Amino acid sequence: MPVLHNRISNKELKARMLAETKPRTTISFYKYFNILDPLAFRNNLYQQFTELAVFGRVYIAKEGINAQISVPTHNMEALKALLYSIDPALDNLRLNIALDDDGKSFWVLRMKVRDRVVADGIEDETFDPSKTGEYLKVEQINQMLDDPDTLFVDMRNHYEYEVGHFENAIEIPSDTFRDQLPMAVEMLQDNKDKNIVMYCTGGIRCEKASAYMLHNGFKKVYHVEGGIIEYARKAREQGLPVRFIGKNFVFDERMGERISDDVIAHCHQCGTPCDSHTNCKNDGCHLLFIQCSECVDKFEGCCSETCREEVRLPETEQRVRRAGRENGAKIFNKSRHRQQDGLNIPSLQVTK
């Protein structure tokens, strides 16, 4: 079966999106359920999403679906009707609506079939991802944050935790979910008598993590329903204290949603308080890092003097320098440090 896909350049698609005048709404959703033919499911959904002018990133696997998308606001009800009708498992599917949204989060629809909707590295055939921990509502979350017998465990990457997290939450110091799962089990072995609350951005990682903790002998396991996005939304709607501090990192053009006014991270170049992520402007680098406005000007949006010098070169020479260079998805990892161009900045970890 052929894979349907877009044939227009990214540059043109982005220009079209930026020129749009009608409002868009950014949403995310996921669901673990059995999909017998992921490719056929994908192609059917791709056609219907295209008709509704949906942009975004969607992963489909035999175990379910995971999506972060934007849709023209006037098509929201049509989108809901479509999703609810596709499969009984998606009836009344929870849609997490973005908190800080200008509608410019995506400009193209990318829909991929994968082995897993979240790469978890789990090979144990006895593991059942449907046996999850208990969902927690906002009021319960706030109460448990004050309970000394409860541990909140952040199941996001380091660079997400760095800019925002729940009060006193435990960081699992890894930048891949597959590494975090066994690490969380090991780190929490001496706390099996405590309540373990897992959380993540929209719920998909912490839901599977809660099932993995139960699978590994933990008894009192919970997870935040709808993740940080839904928690903050419901807390504001209900007039309850928002106990998440800082910014919620999101995987689209916005790179973050402001939850509280606290800025708990620092510029990776000068150390001033800052929580604005960016990608290095050098096409031969694209490092994800935190950069303040002064360093944006000083380094011209680059992560180092070396990259700033390279982007000033003619394009032909830049391409020659980039030829054969490893350039995976790079992020700053603060677990190690190195000297670069006279600056004491975190070492980077390359993830594929």
Side-chain angles (χ1 to χ4, degrees):
M1 180 182 294
V3 179
L4 304 178
H5 60 86
N6 169 69
R7 296 181 181 278
I8 304 173
S9 72
N10 285 336
K11 184 176 181 180
E12 182 177 345
L13 288 169
K14 188 171 184 178
R16 289 183 184 182
M17 179 272 290
L18 292 173
E20 285 186 350
T21 56
K22 293 183 179 179
R24 281 182 168 268
T25 300
T26 301
I27 65 173
S28 61
F29 64 85
Y30 73 91
K31 183 70 176 182
Y32 289 109
F33 70 108
N34 188 37
I35 300 178
L36 294 177
D37 188 340
L39 181 56
F41 183 97
R42 181 259 179 215
N43 281 348
N44 177 54
L45 190 63
Y46 186 91
Q47 287 182 313
Q48 296 185 79
F49 270 20
T50 300
E51 291 171 5
L52 293 175
V54 171
F55 300 152
R57 183 187 306 113
V58 184
Y59 298 133
I60 295 164
K62 288 185 176 181
E63 68 172 357
I65 185 170
N66 179 23
Q68 298 85 43
I69 61 175
S70 79
V71 59
T73 303
H74 67 271
N75 281 343
M76 271 293 293
E77 292 306 313
L79 176 71
K80 290 180 182 178
L82 166 62
L83 292 172
Y84 297 165
S85 68
I86 289 175
D87 188 284
L90 298 180
D91 188 27
N92 290 318
L93 174 71
R94 182 185 63 247
L95 303 179
N96 292 332
I97 299 176
L99 302 169
D100 185 10
D101 185 21
D102 61 1
K104 306 299 183 183
S105 51
F106 299 99
W107 66 83
V108 66
L109 177 60
R110 303 190 190 281
M111 194 175 291
K112 298 181 179 181
V113 172
R114 289 186 160 184
D115 291 335
R116 304 280 179 89
V117 289
V118 177
D120 53 35
I122 300 172
E123 297 181 357
D124 185 347
E125 294 183 358
T126 67
F127 172 67
D128 185 351
S130 68
K131 295 181 179 179
T132 65
E134 295 182 34
Y135 277 137
L136 292 178
K137 303 291 186 182
V138 176
E139 189 171 0
Q140 295 171 300
I141 293 165
N142 285 356
Q143 290 173 352
M144 294 183 81
L145 280 164
D146 294 322
D147 182 357
D149 291 323
T150 297
L151 298 177
F152 274 70
V153 183
D154 195 311
M155 293 306 298
R156 300 172 303 150
N157 300 323
H158 164 75
Y159 55 89
E160 299 173 80
Y161 179 93
E162 183 179 10
V163 295
H165 49 258
F166 277 109
E167 297 173 8
N168 301 315
I170 296 172
E171 178 188 10
I172 308 299
S174 175
D175 289 315
T176 66
F177 185 62
R178 66 170 60 238
D179 289 339
Q180 282 183 319
L181 289 172
M183 194 179 293
V185 170
E186 181 180 354
M187 288 176 61
L188 298 171
Q189 275 299 317
D190 295 333
N191 295 281
K192 285 191 172 182
D193 59 327
K194 293 184 180 293
N195 300 314
I196 305 297
V197 179
M198 325 293 288
Y199 75 89
C200 58
T201 305
I204 190 168
R205 284 177 281 181
C206 53
E207 182 163 323
K208 180 170 282 189
S210 73
Y212 191 75
M213 298 301 283
L214 288 170
H215 181 72
N216 281 276
F218 291 80
K219 303 299 182 184
K220 297 182 287 186
V221 183
Y222 306 84
H223 56 115
V224 175
E225 183 173 13
I228 299 161
I229 296 173
E230 192 68 3
Y231 165 80
R233 174 175 299 283
K234 292 296 185 183
R236 291 169 180 172
E237 288 178 355
Q238 298 171 28
L240 297 173
V242 177
R243 302 285 294 277
F244 186 92
I245 304 169
K247 181 183 284 188
N248 179 33
F249 184 93
V250 291
F251 294 88
D252 58 50
E253 287 296 292
R254 296 170 298 153
M255 288 194 181
E257 298 176 323
R258 175 63 59 194
I259 306 294
S260 80
D261 292 333
D262 306 275
V263 177
I264 64 174
H266 298 84
C267 174
H268 285 160
Q269 290 173 310
C270 71
T272 192
C274 176
D275 58 10
S276 297
H277 278 98
T278 189
N279 287 105
C280 179
K281 293 296 186 292
N282 182 4
D283 288 336
C285 178
H286 282 171
L287 182 74
L288 176 66
F289 69 111
I290 296 174
Q291 187 177 50
C292 70
S293 58
E294 290 188 7
C295 286
V296 169
D297 294 337
K298 179 179 179 180
F299 292 95
E300 299 174 19
C302 294
C303 70
S304 65
E305 292 281 4
T306 300
C307 280
R308 183 176 67 171
E309 290 172 4
E310 190 164 298
V311 297
R312 290 177 172 178
L313 297 172
E315 180 61 33
T316 53
E317 188 170 341
Q318 290 184 46
R319 285 198 294 268
V320 170
R321 290 196 178 196
R322 294 197 298 267
R325 179 188 296 172
E326 287 286 339
N327 190 34
K330 302 178 199 171
I331 57 175
F332 272 124
N333 185 324
K334 295 185 76 175
S335 62
R336 299 179 303 279
H337 287 78
R338 64 191 172 101
Q339 292 288 332
Q340 176 176 307
D341 298 335
L343 296 172
N344 187 26
I345 62 175
S347 175
L348 63 85
Q349 174 173 316
V350 180
T351 56
K352 297 294 185 182

